[in-house]
Amino acid sequence: MKKNKIFVACDSTNIFKIKKIIKETQNTRLKVGYKFGLEFLNSKYGRGFISKLKNEVIFADLKIHDIPNTCVSTIKAIKDLNVNYLTIHIGSGLDALKACKKVSGKTKLIGVTTLTSLNDKSLKEIGYSKNINQLVVHQAKLAKKANLDAIVCSAHEVGIVKKFFKKEVITPGIRFKSKRDDQKRIITPKQAYKNGSDWLVIGRPLTKGNIRKNVQKLIDHLNK
Ligand code: C5P
């Protein structure tokens, strides 16, 4: 049977904590990749640590958001890490997305649509007139136009984007219960896969507290 795929969000500046997360989330039931975001990548030893990781699926969640030249230069600057996945905000614009796709090589370039910490009210606050679904669909169409390899959105939108975006869809905002932290568009792991997510991104629900127990809880939840 095909294994469910998850990226564990390794959000810490502490190398020991990161090592613990990696060790204690390894298991035979799930396919696990590791996502390193701005926190760890910008920490003193983060980049060096990632450069030495072998035989893991690595996702650098850089969330590049800049002018085309800077976006391209950033991708070139991280080339030596040979990461499997790398994120860019679709809001960087079509020119930036196309230019980055030209230089990303074997690294899969993921377009970030609208952060899962935002809802319709937050979009209004920052000046958008579209609602979440409309905006995510619009952004996913741009990702398709730029031939990106994957997108990030919430699992609430997977159904609508999969109608035309046929590559990988990666979904954060995963919660077992209603404890949201800073996330707004949350969903359970089981429902996220049901909706068609290819990969889930899970951070705090796995990495806070007893990691091994949390992983077992996820496995049990998926098998229920
Ligand atoms: O702890 P939690 O499960 O909320 O972690 C989610 C991870 O996914 C964080 O590392 C966050 O930066 C990332 N992410 C997100 N929403 C996006 C893109 C990435 O939550 N749209």
Side-chain angles (χ1 to χ4, degrees):
M1 216 177 87
K2 249 174 117 183
K3 290 183 185 175
N4 289 123
K5 295 187 279 192
I6 61 160
F7 281 115
V8 177
C10 300
D11 293 328
S12 173
T13 53
N14 181 332
I15 291 271
F16 299 103
K17 170 80 181 175
I18 298 291
K19 281 185 181 165
K20 186 173 153 80
I21 293 173
I22 294 175
K23 189 169 164 215
E24 298 188 356
T25 52
Q26 306 261 340
N27 71 91
T28 54
R29 307 288 296 277
L30 304 162
K31 181 172 169 65
V32 181
Y34 295 96
K35 184 182 89 69
F36 302 99
L38 295 172
E39 183 178 353
F40 187 63
L41 272 160
N42 284 304
S43 67
K44 196 164 182 185
Y45 304 108
R47 198 185 195 286
F49 177 84
I50 296 169
S51 72
K52 292 189 199 88
L53 267 185
K54 297 267 177 299
N55 306 319
E56 302 290 359
V57 180
I58 309 288
F59 173 168
D61 196 8
L62 275 185
K63 292 203 179 68
I64 304 170
H65 197 177
D66 220 310
I67 60 171
N69 184 58
T70 306
C71 292
V72 165
S73 307
T74 306
I75 292 182
K76 287 181 180 166
I78 200 176
K79 265 258 139 87
D80 60 295
L81 290 186
N82 285 316
V83 299
N84 305 92
Y85 292 83
L86 174 69
T87 45
I88 178 166
H89 272 289
I90 292 171
S92 301
L94 191 55
D95 287 347
L97 300 179
K98 282 183 174 167
C100 286
K101 185 58 190 150
K102 274 193 189 149
V103 297
S104 53
K106 280 188 188 151
T107 298
K108 288 189 178 175
L109 194 59
I110 311 170
V112 177
T113 61
T114 301
L115 297 171
T116 44
S117 55
L118 303 177
N119 59 14
D120 285 333
K121 184 172 169 267
S122 350
L123 287 189
K124 264 206 178 132
E125 264 164 13
I126 53 177
Y128 287 96
S129 51
K130 286 186 166 39
N131 66 27
I132 292 278
N133 280 2
Q134 291 165 338
L135 184 59
V136 171
V137 164
H138 190 94
Q139 291 167 321
K141 283 184 179 160
L142 274 192
K144 187 180 173 191
K145 225 179 198 172
N147 196 26
L148 299 193
D149 304 291
I151 56 168
V152 172
C153 61
S154 103
H156 292 286
E157 299 105 42
V158 175
I160 42 172
V161 299
K162 280 252 169 169
K163 286 189 181 150
F164 58 90
F165 190 85
K166 303 292 179 190
K167 297 186 190 169
E168 287 173 294
V169 180
I170 302 169
T171 62
I174 305 298
R175 290 296 179 272
F176 292 110
K177 292 198 207 91
S178 56
K179 187 180 185 302
R180 321 178 149 254
D181 303 310
D182 53 350
Q183 298 283 16
K184 296 230 170 70
R185 297 185 342 269
I186 58 168
I187 198 161
T188 64
K190 199 165 184 172
Q191 191 60 46
Y193 287 123
K194 245 191 200 156
N195 289 4
S197 302
D198 296 292
W199 288 87
L200 310 191
V201 173
I202 316 182
R204 287 161 288 182
L206 290 180
T207 58
K208 288 256 179 301
N210 187 321
I211 300 175
R212 287 194 205 279
K213 263 196 187 156
N214 294 339
V215 172
Q216 192 54 50
K217 183 176 162 188
L218 172 63
I219 293 167
D220 294 343
H221 161 87
L222 291 172
N223 289 325
K224 243 186 237 161

